[in-house]
């Protein structure tokens, strides 16, 4: 049986394990530093998928322990915190094992592309929902449309129920959410990368009640989400905006401008304090999904360009809810499944180009987008596509 | 010449000194701990009022120094921080000198009433704009109307220009502002004192553009402003609400509910920190009036009751702006002048009932309200009165 090693036993890593265990075709090992999280994951896989899974307690910040943990794997999947993401990518590449990664990293994964090519390793990075599925669809549009003029990605993970005041819960590490509200957003205009403030250019978007039940109007604002797309695609206008219930951006701007997200140490009555640490300690517990609280994932990727002499707009829409049966959040599932789908392709060598590949590269292979969307649909992560004339 | 000692050389104390110096009938001594503030006040009085004023650097938290500072005064006026207010009141009473005070204090000034009576001292407390002028008008309504059924006080100090995000500057100590947003508001309903959350029951109020130029719609919310009125007046429905530009209460509730105003020490990454200290350090500089920034004071006191068999509503309205000539803020002037007007009455023994007197007590003397309003009008603090039938 092929051996799959999953790095990270958080929500996403556990969802990956559950999904892959369902195949009954792999030997799965889940690796993490936290024995309690490993044990919880092991029990869930045993109960829900009826599979035994190996778990291994490893400090993945230790290079030797890391190499030992992935040794013998046929494919490695990364679902690590942003703190560990880049180092893990580098280490898996050195190990020579195919890798599929959803770990967020502020660093530039493409800096390791050359090394991956040298070693003949395929490492698909940013392979979640956004970045991830969004990249695949953008990459697809850039090929299907000729020329492709505009790509707009709107994406957000939000709670099903809106509770005052934030109407928000963090489906992934809250510190990474705040980081998104601070880091300037790079977008592409007239073929040039330009920078906007995070949380800027707030617009309201109405979501159709039939395709997006219970959603209504959301707001969208700039965040730094294009990542590799800004470099890999030759599309003159591209942006990614984050979706939230209306009012969130304003609130977060107030927090930011007041200095509550400030990372610089200040003297507070003789004590050295980082305001961000204090705000995080207060805010993060309020942003945690509690038992029974459900989330939604909403994404709209829209591309304008020419096909057969007509200017058209292609729109892909994703609406995804918490899964009551597995207890997996929507964000975990929509993030985990693109990676598990691609991991299986790596195992079958359907994806095998050496290098560090963001998902838009996969779209270059004829039929790949359709295959991935069809695999996701089997897991009830459904992307609907439509077209309309563009003016 | 009568000797007036003013305690506190902040904005209000300095405004009091300027006003009284204009009379050229008193010897004025300004007392504070801060030599720079004293010097600034002395220069302003010399320049603007053409008067020399004595200044004395004294630590007023020291009882002996305090007694020395007020010795020989014919009247003492208090314009101290909330930290010093109550102790100063007790000490002036013990000194036997008439006192007029605007210092905010969380403590119950009336607890010293008995002692003031024993010593035959008159101490008018809470003698600013609100508490202060608002108490006088409420006290007047309670006598003029028989029975008086409802008293509603709406009052706020706000900046002339609205700047994102707070659209607010603190005309007095910002820590006292936050304290107002935390302390439960006591209001009177059906003759009983009931408690509401501070910042609750937000309502929007439109202000007539002729009487309140440039104001438009404000919001009003519960704060603990009734103070002595809840006990001294026999009116079954009374409340005081604070006025701000719309949105402020919601923002402050978010800060409060997130824990940013929390006074309890928390462990933040191994360091003991009070969140309120951090928030204050960030927020207070943003709430400071800068050079050239002007403020407004807005107050509406409305009373419903019966007179000559008709149910009527009496409405008093104050609209006051920053004074360009003296450079004194509106809040300083509207707070200082009720006290200086009453201080002159104390000197002339027009007010001489022994005890601790909140201003509603002054309204019991026939003609007193009209006299005080007329004196304030001379200083361009103009209260307009009108009546309308009440349903």
């Amino acid at each position: 049986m092929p051996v799959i090693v999953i790095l990270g036993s958080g929500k996403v890593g556990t969802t990956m394990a559950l999904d892959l265990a369902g195949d009954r075709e792999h030997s799965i090992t889940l690796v993490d530093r936290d024995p309690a999280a490993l044990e919880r994951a092991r029990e869930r896989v045993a109960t829900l998928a009826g599979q035994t899974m190996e778990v291994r307690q490893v400090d993945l910040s230790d290079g030797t322990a890391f190499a030992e943990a992935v040794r013998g794997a046929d494919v490695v999947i990364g679902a690590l915190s942003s703190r560990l993401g880049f180092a893990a990518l580098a280490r898996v590449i050195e190990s020579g094992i195919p890798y599929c990664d959803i770990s967020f990293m502020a660093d530039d994964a493409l800096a390791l592309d050359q090394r991956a090519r040298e070693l003949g390793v395929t490492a698909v990075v940013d392979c979640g929902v956004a970045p991830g599925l969004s990249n695949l669809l953008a990459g697809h549009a850039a090929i299907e449309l000729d020329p492709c003029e505009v790509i707009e990605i709107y994406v957000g993970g939000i709670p099903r129920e809106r509770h005052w005041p934030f109407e928000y819960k963090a489906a992934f590490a809250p510190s990474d959410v705040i980081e998104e509200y601070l880091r300037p957003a790079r977008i592409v205009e007239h073929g040039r990368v330009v920078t906007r403030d995070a949380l800027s250019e707030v617009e309201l978007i109405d979501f159709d009640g039939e395709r997006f039940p219970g959603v209504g109007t959301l707001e969208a604002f700039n965040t730094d989400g294009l990542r590799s797309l800004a470099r890999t695609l030759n599309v003159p206008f591209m942006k990614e905006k984050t979706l939230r219930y209306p009012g969130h951006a304003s609130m977060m701007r107030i927090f930011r401008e007041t200095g509550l997200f400030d990372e610089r140490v200040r003297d507070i009555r003789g004590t050295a304090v980082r305001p961000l640490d204090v705000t995080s300690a207060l805010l993060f517990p309020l942003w945690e999904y509690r038992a029974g609280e459900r989330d939604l994932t909403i994404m709209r990727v829209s591309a304008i360009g020419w096909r057969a002499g007509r200017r058209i707009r292609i729109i892909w829409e994703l609406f995804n809810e918490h899964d009551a049966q597995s207890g997996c959040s929507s964000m975990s599932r929509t993030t985990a499944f693109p990676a598990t789908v691609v991991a299986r392709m790596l195992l079958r060598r359907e994806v095998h180009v050496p290098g560090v590949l963001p998902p838009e590269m996969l779209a270059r292979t004829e039929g790949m987008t359709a295959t991935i969307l069809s695999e996701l649909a089997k897991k009830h992560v459904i992307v609907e596509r439509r077209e309309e004339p563009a003016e």
Side-chain angles (χ1 to χ4, degrees), chain A:
Chain A
M1 269 210 285
V3 174
I4 301 176
V5 170
I6 302 170
L7 307 175
S9 67
K11 287 179 191 170
V12 177
T14 303
T15 305
M16 290 167 166
L18 271 169
D19 180 47
L20 291 163
D23 295 353
R24 302 176 174 273
E25 290 173 4
H26 328 284
S27 155
I28 301 162
T29 303
L30 185 62
V31 179
D32 200 293
R33 192 178 51 179
D34 178 358
L38 285 170
E39 185 48 31
R40 274 198 306 273
R42 205 191 53 72
E43 275 180 25
R44 282 186 70 196
V45 168
T47 313
L48 291 164
Q51 264 259 50
T52 54
M53 168 178 74
E54 200 185 328
V55 297
R56 241 193 257 175
Q57 192 201 339
V58 177
D59 176 2
L60 291 170
S61 65
D62 173 332
T64 313
F66 191 102
E68 181 59 36
V70 300
R71 181 171 303 150
D74 293 290
V75 69
V76 178
I77 312 182
L80 294 166
S81 75
S82 57
R83 194 173 50 81
L84 296 171
F86 187 75
L89 173 62
R91 283 170 180 154
V92 178
I93 288 169
E94 292 305 318
S95 77
I97 305 167
Y99 189 42
C100 184
D101 189 26
I102 66 96
S103 318
F104 175 78
M105 56 190 80
D107 322 71
D108 178 15
L110 293 177
L112 300 170
D113 181 49
Q114 185 58 36
R115 183 62 181 157
R117 287 167 192 250
E118 282 166 21
L119 295 171
V121 185
T122 306
V124 181
V125 295
D126 273 353
C127 196
V129 57
L133 192 48
S134 57
N135 298 53
L136 181 76
L137 300 173
H140 185 91
I143 291 167
E144 183 176 338
L145 301 174
D146 185 17
C148 179
E149 296 171 345
V150 179
I151 291 175
E152 293 170 342
I153 301 164
Y154 292 91
V155 61
I158 53 177
R160 173 89 264 186
E161 283 81 29
R162 300 158 65 155
H163 289 289
W164 185 91
F166 296 105
E167 301 190 346
Y168 178 69
K169 301 271 172 162
F172 53 99
S175 54
D176 288 345
V177 175
I178 296 208
E179 215 270 318
E180 275 195 347
Y181 296 167
L182 297 174
R183 196 170 68 246
R186 286 159 291 189
I187 66 177
V188 178
E189 285 186 348
H190 304 285
R192 288 193 300 273
V193 175
V194 297
T195 297
R196 297 268 191 280
D197 264 5
L199 301 172
S200 65
E201 298 183 316
V202 179
E203 56 181 315
L204 295 175
I205 300 180
D206 282 314
F207 285 85
D208 180 88
E210 205 156 314
R211 281 196 296 276
F212 298 92
V215 172
T217 302
L218 299 183
E219 72 179 12
F221 49 82
N222 286 324
T223 44
D224 190 42
L226 282 185
R227 299 174 59 80
S228 58
L229 293 173
R231 288 156 56 187
T232 57
L233 300 190
N234 183 24
V235 176
F237 291 87
M238 289 191 282
K239 62 181 175 189
E240 185 184 297
K241 293 180 110 169
T242 291
L243 295 170
R244 297 282 185 262
Y245 290 116
H248 186 81
S250 168
M251 223 180 301
M252 293 298 99
R253 280 189 63 193
I254 293 168
F255 273 59
R256 186 182 68 188
E257 302 305 313
T258 302
L260 291 165
F261 293 155
D262 210 329
E263 297 181 74
R264 285 168 300 186
V265 170
R266 289 183 64 119
D267 178 83
I268 306 291
R269 298 190 169 208
T271 304
V273 180
R274 294 195 334 152
L276 178 60
D277 291 340
V278 178
T279 306
S280 302
L282 299 171
L283 206 53
F284 294 174
L286 305 177
W287 279 7
E288 258 173 41
Y289 279 96
R290 314 260 157 190
E293 285 184 330
R294 301 164 302 164
D295 71 328
L296 299 177
T297 309
I298 290 163
M299 183 164 73
R300 172 182 287 165
V301 178
S302 154
I304 299 175
W306 296 81
R307 197 183 55 204
R310 287 170 56 231
R311 192 162 190 263
I312 62 164
R313 182 194 289 270
I314 308 175
I315 298 163
W316 286 278
E317 289 179 330
L318 166 73
F319 173 77
N320 188 269
E321 296 186 84
H322 173 272
D323 180 56
Q325 207 180 344
S326 66
C328 292
S329 72
S330 170
M331 184 51 74
S332 305
R333 292 166 63 250
T334 57
T335 304
F337 297 163
T340 58
V341 165
V342 169
R344 291 184 185 92
M345 290 175 157
L346 286 167
L347 274 182
R348 295 191 298 261
R349 294 196 49 78
E350 291 164 20
V351 173
H352 58 82
V353 183
V356 172
L357 310 179
E360 62 271 27
M361 300 298 195
L362 303 181
R364 293 183 180 181
T365 304
E366 178 84 36
M368 182 66 84
T369 306
T371 305
I372 293 175
L373 292 182
S374 144
E375 289 301 312
L376 290 175
K378 289 181 195 162
K379 300 174 193 308
H380 309 292
V381 172
I382 293 161
V383 175
E384 291 191 356
R385 174 185 161 136
R386 62 195 158 91
E387 289 181 20
E388 55 190 40
E391 276 164 17

